[in-house]
Amino acid sequence: MAILITGGAGYIGSHAMVEFLEAGKELVCVDNLSNSKETSLQRVKQITGKEVKFYKVDLLDIDALEKVFLENNIESCIHFAGLKAVGESCSKPLLYYHNNITGTLNLCKLLSKYNAKRIVFSSSATVYGKPASVPITEDFPLSTTNPYGETKLMIERILKDLWASDNEWSVSILRYFNPIGAHKSGLIGEDPRDIPNNLLPYVAQVALGKRECLSVHGNDYNTHDGTGVRDYIHVVDLAKAHLCALERAEKITGVEYFNIGTGKGYSVLDVVKAYEEATGAKVNYKIGPRRPGDIDECYANPEKAYKILGWKAQYNLEDMCKDSYNWQSKNPNGYEE
Ligand code: NAD
Ligand code: UFG
């Protein structure tokens, strides 16, 4: 019996595959490599010493996807595959809706057809929109501010309706806060295309001298130093949450929602300082204008995940910064030779 990992060549998927392989699970990975490289899978093998069966398949190609089900005994799925750039989703909404929603519909049709009605889905704290307060619990009102976020919310609703129509389903919705860092080995990590949009990859490239200066997007937010506060979580901690979620999904049916964060909020300037202290590198920055759509503060109350899944983040901000720098300095050009 195998676990289907969609988007397994990507940043979070590759880290999750390491954890699942180390736990002795049999995996089948499907990825169209639209935002990743096959090298990440070779690195997963290098870390674990285990082979992963890989299909370069697009979830939009339902016939190719069905072949994966016919050739393997799939019993459950961890669904990472999707496009994730907020800005791009605003300029290419149809691409995002089609890829993320249609891809998920195809996947669910086949999971249903082949009686593998167990799914862990990568959602995001973006479904809380602009939260009225922090920390955020899972019962906060849901809203979105961009097409990417809309796809996450729609998929959450699709999965809920699916369960309502067929109570054999087991659906675990993980709402990730801000994943950063990399595997300790420095063999896998985040490899953004072009100029990074997210804070940590940008900071890492400035620390390494690849970019001159970080632009801090606004210092007039309602936070302790005026810069935006987020809940950064080590990607290995996040990866482990999927193992706990699947274990739970194997025991119960239903739909459950979990915040996956540390419960601690750090500002942009806190992160810059922590990065410098953890690595000894200099992170030059200047204060720039606000980035449209950004919110003041966003951090989780992660207690539900602890109570129900027995999962809790282990790594702190210093670990995250060290591991990010280790990956970036060993792979200054990401997975490219
Ligand atoms: P990523 O882009 O590194 O990984 C996603 C993978 O999915 C890529 O390898 C890509 O090639 C693949 N993919 C995309 N569309 C596909 C399709 N139609 N068919 C097959 N493969 C396809 O992103 P990530 O950071 O690893 O994120 C994984 C998931 O977690 C995504 O769903 C993302 O939206 C969600 N998420 C990420 C963050 C974050 O900050 N990284 C935060 C919250 C939620
Ligand atoms: N920031 C900067 N300069 C940069 C990049 C970011 O100051 O060059 C700031 C942002 O303004 C924000 C903080 O750093 O205050 C974090 O920004 P990120 O872009 O790293 O992360 P976001 O919280 O904006 O967004 C992330 C994901 C989204 C997801 C959201 C909620 O990128 O996909 O978390 O989960 F929806």
Side-chain angles (χ1 to χ4, degrees):
M1 299 297 265
I3 304 164
L4 180 66
I5 310 277
T6 74
Y11 173 45
I12 304 168
S14 57
H15 286 81
M17 291 217 296
V18 167
E19 298 306 314
F20 277 84
L21 289 170
E22 287 180 344
K25 307 286 183 190
E26 188 192 338
L27 307 181
V28 174
C29 171
V30 162
D31 199 303
N32 65 359
L33 303 179
S34 60
N35 195 37
S36 52
K37 303 206 175 66
E38 214 172 325
T39 318
S40 70
L41 299 173
Q42 290 153 15
R43 302 279 182 90
V44 167
K45 185 181 170 199
Q46 206 176 326
I47 295 168
T48 61
K50 290 177 184 163
E51 197 78 52
V52 173
K53 205 162 177 187
F54 172 61
Y55 290 85
K56 183 171 183 285
V57 160
D58 194 314
L59 296 188
L60 297 176
D61 182 349
I62 196 165
D63 295 333
L65 190 59
E66 183 152 19
K67 208 161 161 266
V68 178
F69 281 80
L70 288 169
E71 289 178 8
N72 298 279
N73 198 355
I74 308 280
E75 61 168 353
S76 50
C77 174
I78 316 288
H79 180 30
F80 295 105
L83 296 173
K84 64 164 184 178
V86 172
E88 189 185 53
S89 80
C90 298
S91 58
K92 298 177 182 166
L94 299 183
L95 172 71
Y96 271 66
Y97 285 117
H98 187 44
N99 188 75
N100 293 2
I101 306 286
T102 312
T104 303
L105 293 177
N106 286 345
L107 176 68
C108 289
K109 278 182 201 160
L110 294 172
L111 288 169
S112 204
K113 182 171 174 184
Y114 291 90
N115 205 26
K117 300 176 184 172
R118 205 177 284 142
I119 186 166
V120 178
F121 172 61
S122 303
S123 189
S124 163
T126 193
V127 300
Y128 296 117
K130 193 176 185 317
S133 62
V134 278
I136 299 167
T137 50
E138 287 82 355
D139 54 1
F140 268 38
L142 305 178
S143 69
T144 59
T145 53
N146 56 70
Y148 163 71
E150 200 63 45
T151 68
K152 292 291 167 196
L153 196 48
M154 278 186 188
I155 294 170
E156 286 199 4
R157 289 177 174 149
I158 288 167
L159 293 173
K160 186 166 164 243
D161 289 343
L162 187 57
W163 175 77
S165 73
D166 176 355
N167 290 174
E168 283 178 6
W169 273 90
S170 183
V171 177
S172 186
I173 290 173
L174 303 187
R175 293 177 178 152
Y176 311 161
F177 280 68
N178 290 55
I180 61 169
H183 190 263
K184 277 261 168 299
S185 61
L187 285 167
I188 53 173
E190 189 168 12
D191 181 18
R193 284 178 295 179
D194 314 322
I195 303 169
N197 289 311
N198 296 115
L199 181 62
L200 254 288
Y202 206 105
V203 166
Q205 295 192 6
V206 174
L208 215 75
K210 272 190 78 179
R211 295 189 191 276
E212 216 168 284
C213 184
L214 168 76
S215 169
V216 175
H217 298 329
N219 67 348
D220 57 351
Y221 285 102
N222 185 21
T223 63
H224 65 272
D225 62 15
T227 66
V229 165
R230 298 290 183 274
D231 186 337
Y232 296 96
I233 171 164
H234 197 296
V235 66
V236 172
D237 274 332
L238 173 59
K240 288 181 174 158
H242 295 79
L243 262 176
C244 301
L246 187 61
E247 220 168 80
R248 164 96 176 156
E250 281 163 358
K251 288 192 207 117
I252 59 130
T253 56
V255 188
E256 291 186 318
Y257 305 85
F258 298 101
N259 284 342
I260 306 295
T262 63
K264 291 193 191 74
Y266 290 102
S267 73
V268 177
L269 295 182
D270 291 336
V271 171
V272 168
K273 188 163 171 271
Y275 210 92
E276 291 187 331
E277 282 173 5
T279 66
K282 182 90 190 97
V283 180
N284 299 315
Y285 69 87
K286 61 177 186 333
I287 306 294
R290 284 185 175 206
R291 184 172 66 178
D294 272 358
I295 56 176
D296 304 66
E297 282 194 293
C298 176
Y299 59 89
N301 175 334
E303 268 168 38
K304 187 178 174 195
Y306 184 56
K307 275 193 201 132
I308 296 180
L309 301 179
W311 172 90
K312 198 177 174 179
Q314 305 292 330
Y315 294 107
N316 61 26
L317 187 60
E318 186 188 351
D319 302 319
M320 301 181 216
C321 294
K322 276 194 174 137
D323 293 340
S324 147
Y325 192 64
N326 182 41
W327 150 256
Q328 191 71 60
S329 42
K330 285 182 175 155
N331 305 272
N333 299 317
Y335 288 114
E336 266 164 24
E337 290 306 319

